[in-house]
Amino acid sequence: MSTSTPKPQPEIRAAPRTWKSRGRLLGMPISVLAIWAALYIAASAVPALPVPGMAGMITINAIMTAISGMVLGPGAAIANAAGGIIAMILYPYGFSAGPLGFLTVTMGGLVAGLLFANKWVLAGILEILIIGSWFVNPQSWQTGMWLVPLPYSLIALLVIFIKPLRDWVRTSILTLHKVWLWPAVFLMCCVGHAGEFMMTNTMVNWMFNLSWQYWVPTLPYWIMVDTVIIVVSTFVGVGVLIGLRKARLPQYADWLEK
Amino acid sequence: MIGISSGARRTPLNGLDGRTKLIALLTIFILALVFSSPYYILGLLALVLTTWAIARLPWKLIKDILKFFLIIAVIILVVQIFFYPGETNLFRLSGPIGFIGFSGYITLEGIMFGIAMVLRLVVIMIVAPLLVLTTPLPEFMLALVKLKVPYRFAFIMTTALSLLPSIQSHSAIIQQAQLCRGITDFETGRLLTKLRTTAGLLVPLILGTFRDSQTLDVAMSSRAFGAPVKRTFLLESHFCPTDYIILILAILFLLGGVALRVLGYGTL
Amino acid sequence: MPETGVIVCENLSYIYPNGVQALCDINISINRGDYIAFVGQNGSGKTTLVKHFNGLLKPTRGSIRVFGEETRDKKVSALSRKVGYVFQNPDDMLFCSSVEEEIAYGPKLLGFEEVEIKENVEKILHELGLAAQREAHPFTLSLGDRQRLAVACVLSLSPEIFVFDEPTTGQDYFGGKSIMSLIDQLHAKGKTIVIITHDMPLVAEHARRVVVMNQGQIALDGTPGDVFSQIEQLRRLSLRSPQVTLLAQNLGSKDQTILNVGQMYAWLETEYLVSPRAAIGDFI
């Protein structure tokens, strides 16, 4: 073996830990997804706000859904679905859409997660599909029904499709900007929550043909509820994002930076 | 109310394979959505109730579930009776009231459709407990895996379920710790205060549990999670003749139901 | 006025919602300025008992009075100004985004004056050596500092009684030392201290009174000297006196209970007329 020209030695590295990639799903470690699912079930047991006309409740899993995309990325859909299916069985009062209720929480996590992963085209298609499936139903052309998806779905569409806004939201969250983190997390929560509640509304509407005589009078209440959930989610989201970063715990932002 | 986790009851339905029950449930669920005629949905309801009787599940549970959805059922019924655009006028209640969209007449179609929607709600809400109460959760997970739900997904579900008790006790400890720091009680207090304390609870709970995730990660990989081999199962399930019969019936039902609907039956 | 206990339990029993009887007819009186350690196996009811001291749990039967008042219809938040409870895992208590905020949180909720809070926070930050990290996120602190911060949070409500649930568990030697010296300082300022621990040498060194719990009842109650001399009784309760106590007993110290190495030296010098330092000094 000739050693005439000493080549620069390659940096010594540990063998790549292949189990890491096997233990991951859409960028997040499976253990983290499982833990999120467990938190999700636990949150589904805590009622927060009443649903008009039902003994059921909006539980604080709505907060988990709203922030899931920012924390877990698209993997949030998987974690929310896994948690949602079990939560539906254990604590059914939190799911007003019957046996398919877990789809709603999946959708919330998926749209926000895709957006956070900058797969905005996919997120946009999903968001349009959700809002579209509301308007495909002839019911939705009755008086005032177009108002129902308006408040937060509109914000979601804007965040997804306006590039500067989208980039600003993502950068502010990724860099944990001292000031802009708050409004950015708020907008992200709007996207996550809008995905969930529009999916629920659409499904309930298709299944039971609730017409405008139900939706329009309860609309102010729903807007209040959605606002409260999104505001609380913003507080939780900011706390969790900062805490995860400071404690160097796994979150989707790490994966994005790689 | 239903909050039964492991569904440890011994019922005749326990013997069935989880997959069979899951598919049968989906069939009934889909058919309930396909039909909009009260007679057809009534047939489905009869089927569900018969199964309920065979499974010897408590009737009180149905009462509880119905009580749970009573108000929304009444709303659905009232909305349809008054506002469904029917043609066969039964009787005149008043003059047309434009701004709430009431034509002034109660129509036959409105009543029928209202009943159909309420029956649909009842079927959808009581068909799920049939599966949940007769299938222990591990069997349910196994059924999902056997139905080719990706193993990792099922793993997330099982792990989540086993982590649940520790998370719930952790959350109770955090609540106590926060009470000790002067937070007014979680149970009382106004709505906004309650939501604020909820936020204060979720942040440490999520962070604390995420911290544990690293231990779980090591535990998983040290037990060969994700090894690229075909895995075997501790719990096995096999189809018995009854399973096959029910499966075939379910598929026939589903196809027949959809065919009927396409041919124009089963609607109003 | 006769000095009555600051915490008085009379026939206190507690049954968990799942039917497990955790406490059975507890009678105990804790006096102002006590430094009391609760010891016992896991599941013996120590934590359940001390959780009654600040109203986290309410007795199923019997009564508990804190500063003469029944806890039954008192809120935990109201009692937290009198009885501070430091949890075993400091992370359970912390949720703000900076050390400073964390300390000021409780007083703000309880409506202390703004100026007073500021001064108090400043004082506590310096007392506990956290001043340099005032801006830091609690999660970035070391375990020892997080524990200090948890104490700081309780301290900010200036309670009279401090309850510590296993303060040294999970700490390294110096971490444990430093938290114990902090507790000693609090005691020196006249605060009443209650600790739960499994660490017998720690009890022997710091506590003035030891309560041994077993199956929801008080098995022994007395000074560390009294309690640790009952070696047989303790063994039946699966507890063990500190090694130095056992050694001294084996060497024949019947009338005196040796609790630490210093006492051991002194006793050896008087009893055997040897100076252990001279005898074994070469080895130390």
Side-chain angles (χ1 to χ4, degrees):
Chain A
M1 202 162 90
S2 116
T3 51
S4 55
T5 47
K7 274 197 233 164
Q9 287 293 311
E11 192 190 337
I12 297 168
R13 283 191 180 184
R17 295 194 291 177
T18 43
W19 58 268
K20 263 286 179 201
S21 51
R22 274 198 256 125
R24 277 177 188 271
L25 215 50
L26 295 175
M28 285 310 281
I30 287 188
S31 53
V32 173
L33 296 182
I35 269 171
W36 187 269
L39 284 165
Y40 200 92
I41 306 169
S44 304
V46 186
L49 297 157
V51 177
M54 270 198 244
M57 291 294 253
I58 295 168
T59 61
I60 59 172
N61 71 18
I63 299 170
M64 301 285 293
T65 311
I67 66 169
S68 59
M70 280 175 282
V71 179
L72 304 177
I78 297 169
N80 289 358
I85 290 175
I86 297 177
M88 244 164 35
I89 294 174
L90 296 183
Y91 311 108
Y93 49 77
F95 295 84
S96 33
L100 293 184
F102 74 95
L103 283 179
T104 64
V105 299
T106 309
M107 198 51 90
L110 191 56
V111 175
L114 285 171
L115 177 62
F116 191 57
N118 208 14
K119 307 230 174 359
W120 64 275
V121 181
L122 275 176
I125 292 174
L126 280 175
E127 188 68 35
I128 289 174
L129 277 180
I130 301 172
I131 300 173
S133 60
W134 170 266
F135 283 108
V136 167
N137 191 331
Q139 292 271 335
S140 312
W141 294 96
Q142 296 170 345
T143 321
M145 287 286 266
W146 57 276
L147 276 167
V148 177
L150 198 64
Y152 289 109
S153 298
L154 196 63
I155 297 182
L157 283 176
L158 293 180
V159 177
I160 293 174
F161 286 106
I162 298 179
K163 187 174 186 310
L165 185 60
R166 180 174 74 230
D167 290 345
W168 172 79
V169 166
R170 289 188 63 246
T171 330
S172 305
I173 295 178
L174 283 173
T175 56
L176 297 183
H177 192 282
K178 246 190 151 50
V179 183
W180 303 132
L181 179 63
W182 288 85
V185 169
F186 177 85
L187 289 176
M188 214 53 187
C189 289
C190 287
V191 176
H193 184 63
E196 183 193 0
F197 83 72
M198 269 320 291
M199 191 75 188
T200 313
N201 290 355
T202 306
M203 281 170 53
V204 170
N205 215 17
W206 273 103
M207 289 198 299
F208 305 122
N209 281 52
L210 281 170
S211 49
W212 70 271
Q213 284 89 353
Y214 173 80
W215 285 114
V216 174
T218 51
L219 190 58
Y221 176 79
W222 287 117
I223 294 179
M224 190 275 285
V225 166
D226 294 331
T227 312
V228 168
I229 289 176
I230 292 173
V231 168
V232 177
S233 305
T234 307
F235 278 88
V236 177
V238 168
V240 168
L241 287 172
I242 294 180
L244 288 177
R245 180 71 57 86
K246 297 260 171 158
R248 294 200 190 82
L249 291 170
Q251 57 171 317
Y252 193 70
D254 313 334
W255 182 254
L256 278 179
E257 278 160 15
K258 267 183 203 160
Chain B
M1 58 152 207
I2 308 177
I4 291 164
S5 53
S6 60
R9 292 159 196 273
R10 294 306 310 175
T11 71
L13 288 196
N14 274 52
L16 290 178
D17 193 284
R19 285 170 280 180
T20 315
K21 283 184 272 189
L22 200 59
I23 290 171
L25 174 136
L26 282 177
T27 305
I28 292 177
F29 182 70
I30 293 170
L31 286 181
L33 293 182
V34 162
F35 295 133
S36 56
S37 148
Y39 304 116
Y40 283 74
I41 303 181
L42 202 60
L44 285 176
L45 182 61
L47 185 66
V48 173
L49 290 181
T50 318
T51 323
W52 195 279
I54 294 174
R56 287 197 226 104
L57 292 175
W59 294 105
K60 189 179 167 301
L61 195 57
I62 293 195
K63 214 178 84 189
D64 288 349
I65 299 173
L66 292 186
K67 217 189 291 169
F68 205 70
F69 289 98
L70 184 66
I71 303 175
I72 192 78
V74 171
I75 292 177
I76 291 176
L77 192 65
V78 168
V79 164
Q80 303 304 347
I81 287 178
F82 282 89
F83 305 113
Y84 188 81
E87 279 147 19
T88 329
N89 292 339
L90 287 183
F91 50 88
R92 186 168 184 272
L93 216 60
S94 68
I97 308 173
F99 77 98
I100 58 163
F102 180 48
S103 65
Y105 290 95
I106 300 289
T107 64
L108 179 64
E109 289 83 356
I111 293 177
M112 294 300 264
F113 194 69
I115 294 174
M117 286 304 109
V118 170
L119 288 175
R120 181 185 278 178
L121 178 75
V122 173
V123 170
I124 289 177
M125 290 307 166
I126 67 174
V127 73
L130 262 184
L131 170 77
V132 173
L133 295 180
T134 61
T135 319
L137 267 168
E139 261 178 50
F140 177 68
M141 308 281 183
L142 182 66
L144 289 181
V145 175
K146 291 275 172 125
L147 284 169
K148 298 283 179 262
V149 167
Y151 174 70
R152 289 170 175 202
F153 185 73
F155 176 84
I156 291 175
M157 284 173 68
T158 355
T159 313
L161 195 65
S162 57
L163 289 173
L164 184 62
S166 86
I167 287 182
Q168 283 179 331
S169 66
H170 191 183
S171 121
I173 290 174
I174 293 177
Q175 285 197 11
Q176 289 187 341
Q178 300 197 349
L179 283 174
C180 295
R181 292 194 46 195
I183 287 182
T184 41
D185 294 62
F186 283 83
E187 300 305 320
T188 61
R190 276 173 307 149
L191 192 70
L192 284 180
T193 337
K194 219 167 103 182
L195 284 169
R196 204 180 59 184
T197 49
T198 304
L201 167 70
L202 272 178
V203 175
L205 184 62
I206 294 174
L207 293 179
T209 327
F210 264 58
R211 186 168 281 179
D212 299 341
S213 82
Q214 284 157 326
T215 330
L216 178 63
D217 219 27
V218 176
M220 274 165 61
S221 44
S222 65
R223 290 162 70 175
F225 182 87
V229 290
K230 190 171 184 299
R231 54 173 284 117
T232 50
F233 295 94
L234 181 61
L235 207 61
E236 268 303 344
S237 73
H238 297 287
F239 276 165
C240 62
T242 332
D243 282 309
Y244 284 111
I245 296 171
I246 292 178
L247 265 184
I248 293 170
L249 278 179
I251 292 167
L252 285 181
F253 252 70
L254 186 60
L255 293 178
V258 174
L260 277 176
R261 180 71 171 75
V262 171
L263 292 173
Y265 296 96
T267 62
L268 218 51
Chain C
M1 200 178 88
E3 174 78 74
T4 51
V6 285
I7 296 177
V8 181
C9 301
E10 276 172 7
N11 303 325
L12 184 147
S13 294
Y14 184 77
I15 301 172
Y16 274 104
N18 62 11
V20 174
Q21 174 137 22
L23 296 176
C24 182
D25 275 333
I26 301 278
N27 285 295
I28 190 174
S29 167
I30 296 173
N31 299 321
R32 195 182 291 273
D34 257 355
Y35 196 139
I36 178 168
F38 283 84
V39 298
Q41 283 172 279
N42 288 339
S44 58
K46 351 181 251 306
T47 303
T48 311
L49 178 57
V50 300
K51 279 189 174 166
H52 280 82
F53 294 172
N54 68 344
L56 277 176
L57 297 176
K58 309 279 155 100
T60 313
R61 276 195 309 277
S63 79
I64 170 164
R65 290 191 301 280
V66 176
F67 291 101
E69 287 180 282
E70 284 278 346
T71 63
R72 196 173 290 278
D73 29 51
K74 288 229 149 203
K75 281 193 174 172
V76 181
S77 47
L79 279 166
S80 65
R81 299 185 65 162
K82 293 175 180 160
V83 185
Y85 193 115
V86 181
F87 278 69
Q88 181 181 351
N89 182 354
D91 297 343
D92 294 338
M93 303 185 65
L94 308 176
F95 49 87
C96 296
S97 56
S98 81
V99 168
E100 222 168 345
E101 265 178 61
E102 199 77 70
I103 299 175
Y105 187 86
K108 272 186 191 157
L109 273 189
L110 293 178
F112 287 38
E113 293 276 339
E114 192 72 39
V115 189
E116 190 191 342
I117 295 178
K118 244 192 148 95
E119 277 175 17
N120 204 12
V121 168
E122 210 57 38
K123 206 176 103 207
I124 292 172
L125 278 172
H126 284 99
E127 258 174 40
L128 300 195
L130 291 166
Q133 287 129 316
R134 63 171 70 218
E135 297 283 328
H137 194 280
F139 263 73
T140 58
L141 303 181
S142 67
L143 177 64
D145 284 345
R146 290 208 297 278
Q147 188 118 31
R148 287 171 164 274
L149 180 55
V151 178
C153 294
V154 170
L155 200 56
S156 67
L157 302 172
S158 47
E160 277 304 307
I161 304 170
F162 283 79
V163 179
F164 292 89
D165 192 346
E166 305 201 17
T168 56
T169 305
Q171 301 264 15
D172 58 17
Y173 177 75
F174 288 105
K177 259 282 194 261
S178 105
I179 197 82
M180 285 319 293
S181 80
L182 181 60
I183 296 175
D184 285 347
Q185 284 168 29
L186 288 172
H187 181 244
K189 283 184 195 153
K191 306 284 187 189
T192 309
I193 306 286
V194 175
I195 61 176
I196 295 179
T197 184
H198 290 289
D199 186 345
M200 296 303 154
L202 179 148
V203 174
E205 194 175 338
H206 297 271
R208 308 288 163 87
R209 180 177 168 192
V210 185
V211 175
V212 181
M213 305 261 317
N214 184 44
Q215 298 187 342
Q217 286 174 312
I218 292 177
L220 295 168
D221 181 353
T223 63
D226 294 341
V227 171
F228 287 132
S229 63
Q230 309 197 34
I231 292 169
E232 273 313 306
Q233 171 89 1
L234 285 177
R235 187 164 296 157
R236 271 201 299 281
L237 301 172
S238 305
L239 295 174
R240 203 156 178 239
S241 302
Q243 279 183 330
V244 64
T245 313
L246 297 175
L247 176 64
Q249 287 241 336
N250 281 338
L251 290 176
S253 80
K254 289 283 174 247
D255 47 342
Q256 187 192 355
T257 309
I258 305 299
L259 291 174
N260 57 41
V261 179
Q263 287 178 9
M264 181 80 174
Y265 278 181
W267 176 73
L268 283 174
E269 270 171 350
T270 51
E271 188 79 1
Y272 289 95
L273 300 173
V274 293
S275 162
R277 282 186 184 83
I280 55 174
D282 294 346
F283 297 100
I284 308 177

